């Protein structure tokens, strides 16, 4: 009896709890909560969108390069007899830089001298008809090959500077063997490397959307961390004619005068190009909101007393102002720039001036 009495009491309490829960979760109450949220009004401030004229500029980072870089090496392996320069030396066009071992050249000259005698003798005999044309042609061919070999060895026994510049690297010492195997950071074989630094070049890969805006001769501003606050002017030299389908970029080559050689190849630099004057919407940066967990940016527009959310892209930034880009925005739209953090799409708003 005691157990039945306790069970009956438990069931009574459960019934009371279920009844209370059912009353508090009625459809009518849920509708009332939703209506209350939808009827709330947020106080906001707005500004009227209008076009501003801005300079479209693009900024890219790059490494400065020598205008010309040559990895100097003979056409065939051999012993390095003497190197006349060291890394960092200034050199002039035509200056003797490297001498290779002359043993092969001397042997080739002796061989040429012997063949030349045979050729002269054969030429005399041909004129009197004592040898056939075929015999004469064979000796003539041998003489021409020996002469070409001597010229080749002479050209590659001494290496001279092809331009005015500096020696940027030296890879061998006197007496060492040059094998012809790649030994430079560029993956090429060389005894020394020469650079022309009175002009430098900058190579950048630019987004394809700017292709029609960039042409040869456009001015470029170059800045570096080595010379903070200083701007070095350059120009666009070459716009490569193809787009890389993998990156959707094209290559632009720029030239920077460097007569005082304050800039050096390998320096980190920033290149800025002013492309054109355009009209754009420039608004306070605080008016632009970011969707949490993504890179999506958006703003709110006030229309007929309600907030409308509009996705935007970002363009140039000007201190506390930023360019916004969207096909959904028009001149004269009322942009909400205060109170927007509490808004959701479609909520009622009250404009305060």
């Amino acid at each position: 009896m005691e157990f039945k009495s306790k069970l009956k009491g438990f069931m009574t309490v459960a019934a009371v709890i279920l009844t209370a829960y059912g009353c508090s979760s009625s459809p009518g109450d849920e509708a009332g909560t939703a209506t209350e949220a939808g009827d709330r009004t947020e106080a906001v401030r707005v500004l009227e969108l209008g076009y501003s004229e801005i300079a479209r500029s693009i900024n890219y980072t790059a490494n400065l390069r020598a205008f010309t870089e040559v990895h100097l090496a003979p056409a065939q392996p051999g012993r390095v007899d003497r190197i006349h320069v060291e890394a960092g030396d200034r050199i002039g066009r035509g200056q003797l830089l490297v001498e290779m071992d002359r043993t092969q050249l001397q042997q080739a000259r002796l061989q040429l001298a012997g063949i030349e005698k045979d050729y002269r003798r054969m030429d005399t005999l041909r004129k009197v008809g004592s040898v056939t044309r075929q015999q004469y042609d064979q000796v003539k061919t041998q003489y021409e090959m020996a002469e070409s070999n001597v010229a080749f060895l002479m050209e590659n026994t001494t290496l001279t500077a092809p331009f005015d510049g500096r020696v940027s690297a030296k890879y061998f010492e006197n007496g060492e063997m040059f094998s012809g195997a790649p030994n430079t950071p560029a993956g090429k074989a060389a005894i020394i490397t020469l650079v022309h630094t009175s002009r430098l070049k900058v190579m950048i890969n630019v987004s394809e959307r700017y292709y029609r805006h960039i042409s040869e001769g456009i001015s470029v501003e170059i800045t570096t961390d080595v010379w903070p606050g200083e701007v070095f002017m350059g120009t666009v030299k070459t716009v490569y004619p193809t787009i890389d389908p993998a990156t959707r970029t094209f290559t632009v080559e720029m030239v920077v005068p460097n007569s005082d050689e304050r800039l050096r190849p390998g320096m980190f630099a920033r290149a800025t190009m002013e492309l054109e004057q355009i009209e754009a919407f420039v608004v306070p940066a605080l008016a632009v909101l970011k969707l949490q967990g993504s890179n999506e940016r958006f703003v709110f527009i006030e229309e007929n007393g309600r907030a409308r959310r509009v996705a935007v892209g970002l363009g140039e930034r000007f201190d506390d102002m930023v360019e916004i880009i969207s096909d959904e925005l028009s001149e004269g739209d009322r942009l909400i720039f205060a109170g927007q953090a509490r808004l959701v799409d479609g909520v009622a708003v009250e404009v305060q001036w």
Side-chain angles (χ1 to χ4, degrees), residues 124-164:
T124 301
L125 292 174
R126 182 186 63 85
K127 290 177 181 179
V128 297
S130 298
V131 295
T132 64
R133 180 72 183 183
Q134 181 180 7
Q135 290 174 315
Y136 170 78
D137 288 343
Q138 288 178 344
V139 175
K140 181 182 179 182
T141 300
Q142 292 176 1
Y143 171 71
E144 290 175 346
M145 290 179 62
E147 190 176 41
S148 175
N149 187 40
V150 169
F152 172 78
L153 290 172
M154 287 181 63
E155 183 180 350
N156 286 277
T157 300
T158 58
L159 304 179
T160 58
F163 52 77
D164 297 337

Side-chain angles (χ1 to χ4, degrees), residues 45 86 106 121-122 131 149 170 284 306:
R45 297 181 65 189
E86 297 291 335
Q106 292 170 354
R121 184 170 53 252
M122 190 67 67
V131 295
N149 187 40
K170 174 184 173 185
R306 294 195 176 273

Side-chain angles (χ1 to χ4, degrees), residues 225-247:
D225 293 337
V226 177
W227 302 105
E230 293 196 47
V231 177
F232 302 86
M233 297 305 299
T235 56
V236 173
K237 177 178 178 289
T238 306
V239 179
Y240 283 47
T242 57
I243 307 293
D244 185 339
T247 61

Side-chain angles (χ1 to χ4, degrees), residues 170-189:
K170 174 184 173 185
Y171 304 103
F172 288 87
E173 298 296 335
N174 297 342
E176 293 184 331
M177 285 295 298
F178 171 71
S179 65
N183 64 331
T184 67
K188 299 179 180 180

